[in-house]
Amino acid sequence: MNPSVQTILDKYVGEGRDSLIPLLQEVQDREGYLSRDALKLIGRHLNLPASKIYGVATFYNQFRFEAVGRYHIQVCRGTACHVKGSAKVLETLTRELKIRPGQTTRDGLFSIEVVACIGACGLAPVIAVNGEFHAGVTPEKIKEILRTYRKQGAEAIHG
Amino acid sequence: MVKLSVNNRNIEAKSGDTILSVLKRNGIKVPTLCHLEGLFPSGACRMCVVEVEGLPGLVPSCAYPVQDGMRIQTHSPRAVRARKTIVELLLADHPDDCLYCVRNGDCDLQNLAEELGVRQRRYAGKKSMHQIDSSSPSLIRDPAKCILCGKCVRVCEEIQGVSAIDFIGRGSRARVGPAFDEGLNVSSCINCGQCVTVCPTGALREQSALKDVIDALNDPGKFVVVQHAPSVSVTLGEEFGIKPGTDMIGAMTTALRRLGFDRVFDTSFSADLTIMEEGSELVKRIREGGPLPLLTSCSPGWIKFVEQFYPELIGHVSSCKSPQQMLGAIAKSYFAEREGIDPARMYSVSIMPCTAKKFEAERPELSSGGLADVDAVLTTREAARLIRMRGLDLNSLPPEPADTPFGERSSAGKLFGVSGGVMEAAARSAHYLLTGEEMADPVIKSLRGLDGIKEATITIGGLELGLAVASGLANARKLLDQIRAGRKDLHFMEVMTCPGGCIAGGGQPVSSDPNAIRARMKSLYAIDTGAANRVSHRNKQIQKIYEEFLGEPLGERSHKLLHTRYVTRDVMI
Ligand code: SF4
Ligand code: SF4
Ligand code: SF4
Ligand code: FES
């Protein structure tokens, strides 16, 4: 039993399937992602099969099904970043980390999320790692950034 | 009544009917990919489009009702071109795998490409990357061959009430699968295979046991026995172009013997045995006060369904193993002992109308002394492949009888193949057990036919018994919910996973004939009507196995060999 999901469900007493999306949003806001446990509880609450909820949730890009990594990378896909090559940035990240947006690396270090404009157009193309901005990133720069965080992560774990 | 014209011919139709159903009734064929008889149209594939005079666009005939005065062209150049383009687009993202595909020769997509004269690759698409899911003991999903028609999703939800799979994602990443893209084995899938029988392509197929069986047949150290389920003899013929419903029992037995099986047994024998045990269990529960209703246990998809969706009703389920497992268990004990065969050397194969039987055979509870009751399960389709592989044709084989001791059956055991049959068979023997007399009329009419829910009240020796029969688990759900809500008038309930029973099982020939299932059913009823022995308790070999080996129904040996237990399952539901 997950008490934090349960408190959210308690607010949706007697509500039907229409409340699925807001409910999923609220659970993700609280938990950071939609876990198997959370889906099970939501399904039981709304009387919906897990496959259906997962189907609906994957229809929208905003939901993730894995906890975010120690370093959560947000890639801006706003217009300015797009013009300056954010597609290449995302491609480099997915290739280097071998995960897609919404996923987390096996070692739990990194996760990727694609976000709408984060309001730092002057820095385009921009990524944010745990909220810290990195401006004008290129494929080379990204590799370097990842190296730095990897080292930091290793130190945090072993040191 | 409305009047309309189709391809310049006048036709009358009931108002409210869809164009497609009117066309079908008049023998006009329009191709479909997503249409499912009896379910609400989804309009997903648009293969069934026709041209209607006065309407700007083509209309999907499966979803569009007929109207008075309508003028329809089913094969106008525009309609045909539209269909061809759909197929070409589907092929653009499809592996060119036909030669290696299990559906080669009976694939809807392949047939349509042929019918529409697709002879070149007009659209070169990027092929989607997909992983094959072979995690399930019963099924294999190959999403690369999926054309997203949605039939499996709808059958799983609307017919089976399971919803193990759904559409995931969208756009070019859209796919069908279980929650969290996990394997079917950890999902709520009950292994019924109904999705396989509706899938128009090779995207869904059974987990094949052919190689294991062939290896065993080629191993001189193994004594290989085979059993075939009650419904198989009336469906196998279809795989050889024989009219649906033809009983091929004799030729099938011959074919199996020529394949090298050392003994050919009949699961209808152990269906009779099931009746002895389950009938006694029913009588015992009635005398000792429950729990009632007793729920049947021969359909393994249903068992997993109860275990995960209605765990509080597990106590109601009969502890009897299914006929498949009973026969396996007595083959490796009673029969092995009698013939002086080391049971470890025995390899037990069953031919089943069912993919869930593969899952059942793997259940750890269903074994004795470390030996599985059943070693390999073939579906009817796989059995046909094996027979063809050996160059045998059912059409030209002389009939042979089954082997003793598990070849003799009553027609009550044979009725297990159709929804309501277990109930009829049980009623016949319960009547005898309770009163010492046979039923005056062994047929319970209201329990026959293909309705999803059937009920009857019968009186045996002054005792009134409420009987219910459900097939298709969405129907079972309705009755279970009534029981959960306190319904008290039922004593015995038969549940078959597949709609109509095993004759429509997930391992049966994929038939293009809409009347095939009805023909299979009638064939089983005809066998019952003409049978010399119509009751399980008068099966001589059954009487003998109790005398020589088992003792009493529900006795100690029975308990050890023929009964089992169930588990609650915590899966994503
Ligand atoms: S699914 Fe049909 S079209 Fe596709 S490879 Fe198999 S037989 Fe060929
Ligand atoms: S086998 Fe049955 S339960 Fe499993 S996915 Fe197919 S239809 Fe659903
Ligand atoms: S798996 Fe088969 S039935 Fe299911 S959507 Fe794909 S093609 Fe259709
Ligand atoms: S069969 Fe009519 S839209 Fe698919």
Side-chain angles (χ1 to χ4, degrees), chain B residues 145-153 176 195 198-201 203-204:
Chain B
K145 290 180 184 167
C146 173
I147 58 171
L148 300 176
C149 71
K151 278 190 191 175
C152 54
V153 173
V176 166
C195 53
V198 297
C199 181
T201 72
L204 292 167

Side-chain angles (χ1 to χ4, degrees), chain B residues 524-541:
Chain B
L524 288 179
Y525 290 151
I527 290 169
D528 180 48
T529 310
N533 174 21
R534 300 177 75 174
V535 292
S536 303
H537 53 272
R538 295 206 181 278
N539 180 333
K540 291 266 167 359
Q541 292 294 341

Side-chain angles (χ1 to χ4, degrees), chain B residues 94-95 97-98 101 103-104 107 109-110 145 201-202:
Chain B
H94 197 83
D97 250 7
C98 297
C101 186
R103 292 295 293 272
N104 188 12
C107 166
L109 184 59
Q110 194 189 46
K145 290 180 184 167
T201 72

Side-chain angles (χ1 to χ4, degrees), chain A residues 17 34-37 39-40 43-44 48-52 54-56 58-61 65 100, chain B residues 153 157 162-170 173 175 177-182 570-573:
Chain A
R17 301 171 174 207
L34 300 173
S35 67
R36 284 165 171 69
D37 269 355
L39 233 67
K40 229 183 226 178
R44 214 169 288 157
L48 275 175
S51 63
K52 196 123 283 179
Y54 185 70
V56 168
T58 52
F59 192 80
Y60 303 94
N61 277 327
F65 305 94
R100 277 197 305 273
Chain B
V153 173
E157 175 176 357
V162 171
S163 292
I165 48 178
D166 207 333
F167 284 97
I168 303 172
R170 67 166 152 189
R173 298 228 341 111
R175 59 209 179 271
F180 290 96
D181 288 290
E182 286 184 322
D570 190 21
V571 295
M572 269 284 177
I573 58 175

